C-alpha cells in the first residue's frame, strides 16, 4: 500500500475503535440507520484491509522468489562452472577455463542479466565438452543429467526475471482497485459524519461520542514505510453542524 493509503486506513481503524468504545451510546439507538451504516463501514474496512494485505503479499512474495532463485543459480553455476574450468585447465584450454572460472563472490556480484548470460555460457560449454569427450566429461560429473539439472536452474531464474512486468501490471490493478475502495469507504464515513450529529443533541454522553469521533477523523502522517513519492494526504475536516 502507498503511504497515503496506509495513513487513511489507520484513520478508518481509529474511528471504528472509537465507535466501539461508545457502542452503548449509539448501538440500536435512534436514528437506527446509524447502526446499520456503522456495520456496513466495518465490513468495508475489513475488505479494504484484506485487499491491502493481498497487495503487500504479492509484491513481497515475488521479490523473495527472485532472491531465492538467484541464490540457487549462483550456487549451481559456481559448482558446475568451477568443475568445468578444472576440466578445461587439465585439457590445456586456459582460454575457455578463464571464461567461467569465477569465485563464489564473483557469481554473487553479477547483475541479473549478467548472471543469466554467464550461466548460459557455462551450460553451453558443458554441452560441448560432453559432446566432444563424453567419457572424460562423465568423470567430472558433466553428464546429460547434471546438465539438465543445471538448465532447470537457469530456466527457473529466467522465469522470475520475466515476472516483474506481470507483477507491475498486477500491482497497478490492485492499486487502482484500492484507490476505488478507499473512495467508497471515505464516502461511507462522510455519511457517518452527518448522522452521528444526532447524538450530540441528546445528552452529555452523546456529545462525548461526537467529540471523540470527530477527533479520530483526522488522517495523520505515520511516516514513510519505504522510499516513495506519494503526496501526503490532506487532513479530513471535522464534521460540524
Amino acid at each position: 500500500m502507498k503511504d497515503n493509503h496506509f495513513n487513511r486506513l489507520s484513520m478508518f481503524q481509529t474511528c471504528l475503535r472509537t465507535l466501539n468504545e461508545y457502542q452503548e451510546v449509539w448501538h440500536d439507538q435512534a436514528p437506527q440507520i446509524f447502526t446499520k451504516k456503522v456495520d456496513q463501514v466495518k465490513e468495508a474496512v475489513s475488505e479494504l484491509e484484506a485487499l491491502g494485505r493481498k497487495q503487500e503479499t504479492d509484491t513481497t512474495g515475488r521479490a523473495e522468489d527472485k532472491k531465492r532463485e538467484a541464490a540457487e543459480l549462483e550456487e549451481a553455476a559456481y559448482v558446475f562452472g568451477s568443475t568445468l574450468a578444472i576440466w578445461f585447465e587439465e585439457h590445456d584450454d586456459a582460454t575457455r577455463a578463464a571464461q567461467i572460472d569465477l569465485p563464489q563472490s564473483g557469481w554473487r556480484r553479477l547483475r541479473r542479466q549478467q548472471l543469466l548470460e554467464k550461466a548460459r555460457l557455462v551450460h553451453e560449454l558443458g554441452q560441448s565438452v560432453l559432446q566432444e569427450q563424453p567419457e572424460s566429461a562423465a568423470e567430472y560429473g558433466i553428464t546429460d543429467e547434471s546438465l539438465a539439472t543445471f538448465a532447470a536452474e537457469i530456466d527457473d531464474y529466467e522465469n522470475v526475471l520475466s515476472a516483474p512486468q506481470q507483477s507491475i501490471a498486477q500491482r497497478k490493478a490492485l492499486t487502482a482497485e484500492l484507490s476505488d475502495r478507499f473512495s467508497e469507504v471515505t464516502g461511507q464515513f462522510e455519511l457517518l459524519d452527518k448522522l452521528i450529529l444526532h447524538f450530540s443533541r441528546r445528552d452529555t454522553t452523546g456529545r462525548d461520542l461526537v467529540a471523540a469521533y470527530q477527533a479520530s477523523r483526522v488522517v495523520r502522517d505515520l511516516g514513510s514505510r519505504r522510499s516513495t513519492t506519494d503526496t501526503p494526504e490532506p487532513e479530513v475536516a471535522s464534521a460540524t453542524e
Side-chain angles (χ1 to χ4, degrees):
M1 263 191 304
K2 294 181 179 179
D3 289 327
N4 64 336
H5 284 163
F6 180 74
N7 292 337
R8 289 170 68 188
L9 179 58
S10 295
M11 181 269 288
F12 294 156
Q13 293 165 333
T14 300
C15 288
L16 291 180
R17 285 195 296 270
T18 298
L19 289 172
N20 284 339
E21 291 173 4
Y22 287 87
Q23 185 168 340
E24 62 181 19
V25 179
W26 58 264
H27 189 263
D28 284 339
Q29 301 296 315
Q32 292 190 344
I33 188 63
F34 185 79
T35 297
K36 182 178 180 180
K37 293 298 183 182
V38 171
D39 289 340
Q40 292 173 349
V41 167
K42 286 181 178 179
E43 183 177 353
V45 171
S46 178
E47 292 173 354
L48 196 58
E49 291 168 341
L51 187 60
R53 286 193 297 270
K54 180 180 178 182
Q55 186 195 44
E56 295 287 340
T57 300
D58 181 74
T59 303
T60 303
R62 291 184 182 276
E64 289 300 319
D65 287 345
K66 185 184 297 182
K67 183 178 179 180
R68 183 189 65 252
E69 294 299 341
E72 290 178 359
L73 181 57
E74 288 162 0
E75 177 68 20
Y78 170 64
V79 173
F80 202 85
S82 296
T83 302
L84 193 56
I86 293 172
W87 190 93
F88 282 129
E89 288 170 355
E90 294 186 354
H91 287 78
D92 299 322
D93 193 340
T95 300
R96 287 198 288 182
Q99 291 179 312
I100 56 175
D101 191 15
L102 295 179
Q104 195 164 21
S105 59
W107 283 103
R108 290 173 178 167
R109 283 195 297 268
L110 292 176
R111 300 177 67 84
R112 297 174 182 176
Q113 195 62 31
Q114 289 176 322
L115 173 59
L116 183 62
E117 294 303 327
K118 182 69 79 171
R120 283 174 175 165
L121 175 61
V122 170
H123 185 266
E124 290 171 5
L125 292 177
Q127 285 182 313
S128 67
V129 167
L130 185 59
Q131 291 171 358
E132 295 166 9
Q133 300 190 47
E135 292 184 5
S136 176
E139 290 184 320
Y140 290 76
I142 305 169
T143 63
D144 286 327
E145 292 77 11
S146 64
L147 280 169
T149 299
F150 185 48
E153 293 287 358
I154 295 173
D155 290 342
D156 288 345
Y157 183 64
E158 185 174 15
N159 288 337
V160 297
L161 282 187
S162 65
Q165 292 304 318
Q166 302 170 13
S167 179
I168 289 170
Q170 292 176 2
R171 191 160 60 249
K172 283 184 177 179
L174 284 172
T175 299
E177 185 177 356
L178 268 172
S179 295
D180 290 342
R181 292 288 186 89
F182 269 104
S183 295
E184 293 171 6
V185 176
T186 296
Q188 290 177 285
F189 269 101
E190 288 172 351
L191 293 180
L192 294 184
D193 293 345
K194 299 173 182 177
L195 292 171
I196 200 171
L197 296 177
H198 285 274
F199 299 101
S200 67
R201 298 180 179 274
R202 199 176 69 184
D203 53 27
T204 301
T205 56
R207 288 190 288 275
D208 290 343
L209 159 64
V210 175
Y213 171 81
Q214 290 179 343
S216 69
R217 281 286 279 134
V218 175
V219 177
R220 304 184 187 282
D221 185 358
L222 302 178
S224 176
R225 297 177 302 143
R226 63 175 73 85
S227 178
T228 180
T229 57
D230 294 341
T231 301
E233 186 73 12
E235 292 189 348
V236 174
S238 297
T240 58
E241 290 188 58

